[in-house]
Amino acid sequence: MSELSSNSGHRTACTTALQYSGNDCRWGRIPTQEKMSQSGDGLHTPGYLSWRKLQLSRAKLKASSKTSALLSGFAMVAMVEVQLSEESNVPQEMLIAFAICTTLLVAVHMLALMISTCILPNIDAVCNLHSISLVHESPHERLHWYIETAWAFSTLLGLLLFLCEIAILCWVKFYDFSTYAAWSACIVLIPVLIIFLAFAVHFYRSLVAHKYEVTVSGIRELELLKEQIEAGDAEGRANGMGLFSNTQIV
């Protein structure tokens, strides 16, 4: 089947296996995912859903790697730059809490960074091919829990530890000069921590609700498709029986 296109008196004949470039046509098959993204068909097929999960996993790993590298660097700088002396009146318990919180903060972010660094190149290699048919070659489905762990460590646990690190660092830094300054930092951080936790809970609840609505919508579309297929089969059988009866009468 061929298509004719005219422009300035020139006619060009191209088959369905040809791609247009102005008035010229060259051989090449149009990618399936490009057709699907343009027409909107097949958005709930297993391949397309797996491709969407692949893109989501890629975005999570990129965000985790950037956040973890940034916050772990801040924690290391804070630990190195803090100045302590033997005449310091900072309680021993506060120094122990500072050391433990800093170590946990760096360890958690380094773990998230390691997971992101190991998995992200394998996912990028498949994403850069821009082919849904190759989505099964990506390890994002098998390593799903590792990706979620890196995301949780970097965004939830890592940020909570970072807020605690700021509060403890203020006590260690200002205890010898002014306890009011240390208490002021804690008073400011308490509502920030409450807002952070409230947003985290609201965000995850909204995300779960959104996924539920999308799943319900997909199930409804599948049910409608099933009803249409069953109606078509029933109509085909009825037409077949009618032709069979007419053949017997003749």
Side-chain angles (χ1 to χ4, degrees):
M1 181 177 179
S2 62
E3 298 176 359
L4 297 178
S5 62
S6 60
N7 188 6
S8 301
H10 296 284
R11 289 196 173 189
T12 305
C14 298
T15 63
T16 55
L18 298 181
Q19 296 180 0
Y20 285 95
S21 176
N23 291 329
D24 300 329
C25 57
R26 52 189 174 85
W27 288 99
R29 186 175 298 276
I30 299 175
T32 305
Q33 71 276 9
E34 184 178 351
K35 293 180 181 179
M36 184 168 57
S37 62
Q38 291 176 354
S39 62
D41 298 332
L43 296 180
H44 296 287
T45 59
Y48 191 83
L49 293 177
S50 183
W51 181 260
R52 289 173 57 187
K53 291 181 181 179
L54 174 63
Q55 297 294 333
L56 179 61
S57 300
R58 182 189 185 188
K60 284 184 176 180
L61 290 175
K62 284 187 175 181
S64 298
S65 61
K66 292 179 181 179
T67 304
S68 297
L70 185 64
L71 295 185
S72 60
F74 282 157
M76 289 297 297
V77 171
M79 185 175 62
V80 172
E81 293 296 328
V82 66
Q83 298 178 358
L84 298 173
S85 61
E86 295 181 358
E87 293 81 11
S88 178
N89 296 322
V90 179
Q92 192 74 16
E93 294 79 7
M94 191 64 64
L95 295 177
I96 295 174
F98 176 69
I100 293 175
C101 185
T102 304
T103 305
L104 282 177
L105 177 61
V106 175
V108 165
H109 282 296
M110 285 296 101
L111 180 60
L113 183 60
M114 183 192 67
I115 295 174
S116 302
T117 305
C118 293
I119 302 178
L120 188 58
N122 298 281
I123 293 180
D124 276 336
V126 178
C127 289
N128 292 333
L129 297 176
H130 303 288
S131 177
I132 295 180
S133 60
L134 300 176
V135 69
H136 64 279
E137 297 184 4
S138 174
H140 69 283
E141 293 285 355
R142 179 175 297 181
L143 302 178
H144 171 71
W145 289 110
Y146 292 99
I147 297 173
E148 295 298 327
T149 300
W151 172 254
F153 279 5
S154 179
T155 57
L156 182 61
L157 183 58
L159 291 178
L160 286 175
L161 288 174
F162 189 76
L163 292 176
C164 295
E165 173 82 5
I166 294 175
I168 298 174
L169 181 61
C170 289
W171 275 97
V172 173
K173 190 71 176 179
F174 301 120
Y175 187 84
D176 292 331
F177 303 99
S178 175
T179 56
Y180 294 104
W183 278 113
S184 300
C186 293
I187 292 173
V188 171
L189 282 175
I190 288 175
V192 173
L193 183 62
I194 294 175
I195 294 173
F196 175 81
L197 293 175
F199 172 76
V201 173
H202 176 71
F203 171 75
Y204 281 104
R205 290 186 63 181
S206 301
L207 186 62
V208 171
H210 174 69
K211 288 184 176 180
Y212 175 77
E213 292 175 358
V214 171
T215 304
V216 170
S217 176
I219 292 175
R220 290 176 180 173
E221 291 183 3
L222 291 176
E223 290 178 351
L224 291 175
L225 181 61
K226 177 186 175 183
E227 293 177 358
Q228 293 176 0
I229 293 174
E230 291 178 350
D233 291 341
E235 183 178 357
R237 285 195 295 268
N239 293 334
M241 291 296 294
L243 292 175
F244 181 73
S245 61
N246 292 334
T247 303
Q248 286 184 341
I249 293 174
V250 173

